[in-house]
Amino acid sequence: MAVRIIVVSALLLSAGSCRAMPEPVVHTVTIEGSTFTPAVVTAHVGDRVVWVNKDFMPHTATGRGDTFDSGLLAPDASWTLTLETRGTVDYVCTYHPTMRGTLRVDGATERP
Ligand SMILES: [Cu+2]
């Protein structure tokens, strides 16, 4: 019986949806064609977001209101942000202001 409980726990963890064990999840945002994909990331405090630049030009992921800034992301570079506060933050690329994305960060204990 103990084995079955462990297996179920592992499945919940891999789905990133266990209220009892809010393991951090890594969300990947791909930058390609001067677009952030996905444009909206819904995450939780403690999660990480990784931006990967697959374009042939540099970009940034820069949150509004002095929240976060990847700095220059060269082609093939990536940058990781650990989410420490809840809230919704819109971000842009400072070089291409039409590039927009949004982070929605809920509390760590609110993982459904
Ligand atoms: Cu850009």
Side-chain angles (χ1 to χ4, degrees), residues 82-98:
T82 300
L83 304 174
E84 293 174 346
T85 52
R86 44 200 295 182
T88 298
V89 179
D90 294 324
Y91 67 92
V92 296
C93 169
T94 55
Y95 297 99
H96 312 101
T98 57

Side-chain angles (χ1 to χ4, degrees), residues 31 34 57-60 93-96 99:
I31 306 172
S34 292
M57 64 183 92
H59 295 290
T60 75
C93 169
T94 55
Y95 297 99
H96 312 101
M99 293 174 63

